[in-house]
Amino acid sequence: GTLPASAGGGVPHLYLQQLPCSWGSLFLPRPWLLFRAYMQARLEGAPGPLVPRSASNGWSTSWKKFMIELSHLSGGVFLYPSFPNQSSLSTNHLEKGEHIGGKKNKLTHRPIDFTVPLLLNLSDLRQLWPPQPLDALPVRDLFTRPTRRSELHARGIEAIAAHRGVWRSHAREAAAPALRLDRILERLLPATTAPR
């Protein structure tokens, strides 16, 4: 997407958002491995949190549901470019899947609501260089509201604390995935390294 103009009048070229994109994303190895461990624990029966006001709470096994949960719990963010005309490096072609044309999904999906123009002017890529420090980039939460990384981190710590008892009692009853999930989340959120 394209962000609104900043206080200085210009549109930032990069921004951080808590909501993952499933259209052509690139994930770095460490976060992807942590996500895979989290998703595996969830698929093995570890109870997940309800993400406040998120449509993903009603999804069944979409990988993006688990990524949204994890970004909520960890306070994690994703790096996005902001090109003119909402141009993108990828788009959606509305292929059938869990959300598009699925048996349980009764919604009508219009291409205009999902497709975005592809970036054709490759010189627009130059606006991404030199990159700004991550701490200087605008931050958006799961619902694109402006926020700070420290606020997302604090919300994640609260959500983990609220669910820790559920995970531990589930681990005693079901024999392990929830306890492993608790350990995964502790690795994600060391209490001493809150971002600014």
PDB file of all heavy atoms in Angstrom, residues 169-179:
ATOM      1  N   SER A 169      -1.430 -25.600  31.310  1.00  0.00           N
ATOM      2  CA  SER A 169      -2.403 -26.626  31.685  1.00  0.00           C
ATOM      3  C   SER A 169      -2.683 -27.552  30.502  1.00  0.00           C
ATOM      4  O   SER A 169      -2.846 -28.755  30.679  1.00  0.00           O
ATOM      5  CB  SER A 169      -3.700 -26.002  32.209  1.00  0.00           C
ATOM      6  OG  SER A 169      -4.360 -25.306  31.187  1.00  0.00           O
ATOM      7  N   HIS A 170      -2.688 -27.009  29.289  1.00  0.00           N
ATOM      8  CA  HIS A 170      -2.866 -27.852  28.106  1.00  0.00           C
ATOM      9  C   HIS A 170      -1.697 -28.817  27.957  1.00  0.00           C
ATOM     10  O   HIS A 170      -1.881 -29.971  27.585  1.00  0.00           O
ATOM     11  CB  HIS A 170      -3.005 -26.990  26.846  1.00  0.00           C
ATOM     12  CG  HIS A 170      -3.244 -27.794  25.609  1.00  0.00           C
ATOM     13  ND1 HIS A 170      -2.218 -28.262  24.832  1.00  0.00           N
ATOM     14  CD2 HIS A 170      -4.386 -28.233  25.036  1.00  0.00           C
ATOM     15  CE1 HIS A 170      -2.710 -28.941  23.823  1.00  0.00           C
ATOM     16  NE2 HIS A 170      -4.019 -28.945  23.923  1.00  0.00           N
ATOM     17  N   ALA A 171      -0.496 -28.367  28.251  1.00  0.00           N
ATOM     18  CA  ALA A 171       0.693 -29.217  28.140  1.00  0.00           C
ATOM     19  C   ALA A 171       0.587 -30.397  29.105  1.00  0.00           C
ATOM     20  O   ALA A 171       0.949 -31.514  28.761  1.00  0.00           O
ATOM     21  CB  ALA A 171       1.954 -28.420  28.425  1.00  0.00           C
ATOM     22  N   ARG A 172       0.095 -30.142  30.311  1.00  0.00           N
ATOM     23  CA  ARG A 172      -0.043 -31.247  31.278  1.00  0.00           C
ATOM     24  C   ARG A 172      -1.066 -32.270  30.794  1.00  0.00           C
ATOM     25  O   ARG A 172      -0.883 -33.463  30.953  1.00  0.00           O
ATOM     26  CB  ARG A 172      -0.453 -30.699  32.640  1.00  0.00           C
ATOM     27  CG  ARG A 172       0.693 -30.025  33.387  1.00  0.00           C
ATOM     28  CD  ARG A 172       0.310 -29.716  34.824  1.00  0.00           C
ATOM     29  NE  ARG A 172      -0.747 -28.714  34.930  1.00  0.00           N
ATOM     30  CZ  ARG A 172      -0.547 -27.394  34.927  1.00  0.00           C
ATOM     31  NH1 ARG A 172       0.675 -26.923  34.820  1.00  0.00           N
ATOM     32  NH2 ARG A 172      -1.555 -26.563  35.031  1.00  0.00           N
ATOM     33  N   GLU A 173      -2.152 -31.787  30.169  1.00  0.00           N
ATOM     34  CA  GLU A 173      -3.214 -32.689  29.714  1.00  0.00           C
ATOM     35  C   GLU A 173      -2.869 -33.373  28.394  1.00  0.00           C
ATOM     36  O   GLU A 173      -3.179 -34.533  28.199  1.00  0.00           O
ATOM     37  CB  GLU A 173      -4.522 -31.910  29.536  1.00  0.00           C
ATOM     38  CG  GLU A 173      -5.066 -31.348  30.828  1.00  0.00           C
ATOM     39  CD  GLU A 173      -6.194 -30.352  30.578  1.00  0.00           C
ATOM     40  OE1 GLU A 173      -6.718 -30.293  29.439  1.00  0.00           O
ATOM     41  OE2 GLU A 173      -6.532 -29.625  31.519  1.00  0.00           O
ATOM     42  N   ALA A 174      -2.258 -32.648  27.471  1.00  0.00           N
ATOM     43  CA  ALA A 174      -2.057 -33.170  26.125  1.00  0.00           C
ATOM     44  C   ALA A 174      -0.649 -33.653  25.850  1.00  0.00           C
ATOM     45  O   ALA A 174      -0.367 -34.117  24.770  1.00  0.00           O
ATOM     46  CB  ALA A 174      -2.440 -32.112  25.109  1.00  0.00           C
ATOM     47  N   ALA A 175       0.237 -33.494  26.767  1.00  0.00           N
ATOM     48  CA  ALA A 175       1.608 -33.980  26.653  1.00  0.00           C
ATOM     49  C   ALA A 175       2.480 -33.239  25.659  1.00  0.00           C
ATOM     50  O   ALA A 175       2.936 -33.795  24.693  1.00  0.00           O
ATOM     51  CB  ALA A 175       1.640 -35.458  26.366  1.00  0.00           C
ATOM     52  N   ALA A 176       2.684 -31.999  25.818  1.00  0.00           N
ATOM     53  CA  ALA A 176       3.804 -31.229  25.303  1.00  0.00           C
ATOM     54  C   ALA A 176       3.664 -30.110  24.303  1.00  0.00           C
ATOM     55  O   ALA A 176       4.389 -29.170  24.441  1.00  0.00           O
ATOM     56  CB  ALA A 176       4.932 -32.119  24.887  1.00  0.00           C
ATOM     57  N   PRO A 177       2.842 -30.135  23.272  1.00  0.00           N
ATOM     58  CA  PRO A 177       2.974 -29.036  22.309  1.00  0.00           C
ATOM     59  C   PRO A 177       2.816 -27.655  22.926  1.00  0.00           C
ATOM     60  O   PRO A 177       3.511 -26.730  22.543  1.00  0.00           O
ATOM     61  CB  PRO A 177       1.878 -29.290  21.288  1.00  0.00           C
ATOM     62  CG  PRO A 177       1.188 -30.517  21.674  1.00  0.00           C
ATOM     63  CD  PRO A 177       1.811 -31.067  22.899  1.00  0.00           C
ATOM     64  N   ALA A 178       1.922 -27.511  23.895  1.00  0.00           N
ATOM     65  CA  ALA A 178       1.713 -26.186  24.487  1.00  0.00           C
ATOM     66  C   ALA A 178       2.930 -25.724  25.272  1.00  0.00           C
ATOM     67  O   ALA A 178       3.265 -24.557  25.259  1.00  0.00           O
ATOM     68  CB  ALA A 178       0.474 -26.188  25.379  1.00  0.00           C
ATOM     69  N   LEU A 179       3.586 -26.645  25.964  1.00  0.00           N
ATOM     70  CA  LEU A 179       4.781 -26.269  26.707  1.00  0.00           C
ATOM     71  C   LEU A 179       5.876 -25.832  25.744  1.00  0.00           C
ATOM     72  O   LEU A 179       6.567 -24.854  25.967  1.00  0.00           O
ATOM     73  CB  LEU A 179       5.258 -27.427  27.580  1.00  0.00           C
ATOM     74  CG  LEU A 179       6.428 -27.110  28.509  1.00  0.00           C
ATOM     75  CD1 LEU A 179       6.070 -25.950  29.434  1.00  0.00           C
ATOM     76  CD2 LEU A 179       6.803 -28.326  29.317  1.00  0.00           C
TER      77      LEU A 179
END
